[in-house]
Amino acid sequence: KLESIYIPEKVTSIGDNTFYKCLELTDVTLPSKLTAVPANMFYRCDKLESINIPETVETIGQSAFAYCYKLSSFTLPTSLKQIGPLAFISCESINEITIPFKTESIARKAFADCISLSKVTFSNPTKIINNDSVFGNTSKNLTIYGYQNSSAEKHCTENGIKFIASSATTPTATAVSYT
């Protein structure tokens, strides 16, 4: 039974279904130059509770983390552009997520059946939610934070989800340095 895996740093891509139904997998170290989490990579890894998704990942594929019931600790990388269909479906332990600024699309049922999900924050007003069931069958307490007149607000209005508009000014893609 596979419980722990370390993928060497020189690896930049991994095939679909790599850890499909590794029911005992609890510990994964992904290489820092990985560009995608492919389809079904961690599908039904029932005991996986946390994962460090590298900052180089731009795509999370279809059902990549589907049915990882205990997954609760992860951060979507700032480089993330696409979240595939069913990517996190039935990840019942996820409480909160922040959709990064560069994310361009969130496909159908990406976070459906995440029954503990109570807070989603959109970092950018132009996120594209591709389907009305992205957050289907989540917590009755789900609140989405985002920008007025955004696709997130429209999604909430159409699906009866509580929406709170950000009081911040609309961000730009311009780099800002802090001292």
Side-chain angles (χ1 to χ4, degrees), residues 3-4 8 15 22-23 28 36 49 60 71 81 83 85 101-102 105 107 146 149 163-164:
E3 294 178 9
S4 181
C22 286
L23 303 177
V28 177
E49 293 181 17
I60 295 178
L71 182 63
K81 293 180 181 177
I83 301 172
F101 185 88
K102 290 183 179 179
S105 68
N149 304 314
F163 179 82
I164 296 179

Side-chain angles (χ1 to χ4, degrees), residues 129-144:
I129 297 176
N130 293 335
N131 189 282
D132 63 358
S133 60
V134 167
F135 300 103
N137 196 35
T138 54
S139 168
K140 300 285 186 222
N141 298 320
L142 176 61
T143 301
I144 294 181

Side-chain angles (χ1 to χ4, degrees), residues 37 42-43 48 51 53 57 59-69 71-77 80 82-94 96-100 106-115 117 134-136 138:
V37 177
F42 296 104
Y43 183 99
L48 186 63
I51 190 161
I53 303 171
V57 169
T59 303
I60 295 178
Q62 179 169 332
S63 302
F65 295 97
Y67 305 99
C68 290
Y69 300 114
L71 182 63
S72 63
S73 179
F74 66 93
T75 300
L76 296 175
L80 187 65
Q82 297 179 342
I83 301 172
L86 312 165
F88 293 92
I89 191 169
S90 292
C91 290
E92 297 177 350
S93 298
I94 296 173
E96 181 177 325
I97 54 172
T98 297
I99 307 298
I106 304 170
R108 67 181 172 80
K109 297 187 178 185
F111 296 97
D113 300 327
C114 293
I115 59 174
L117 187 59
V134 167
F135 300 103
T138 54

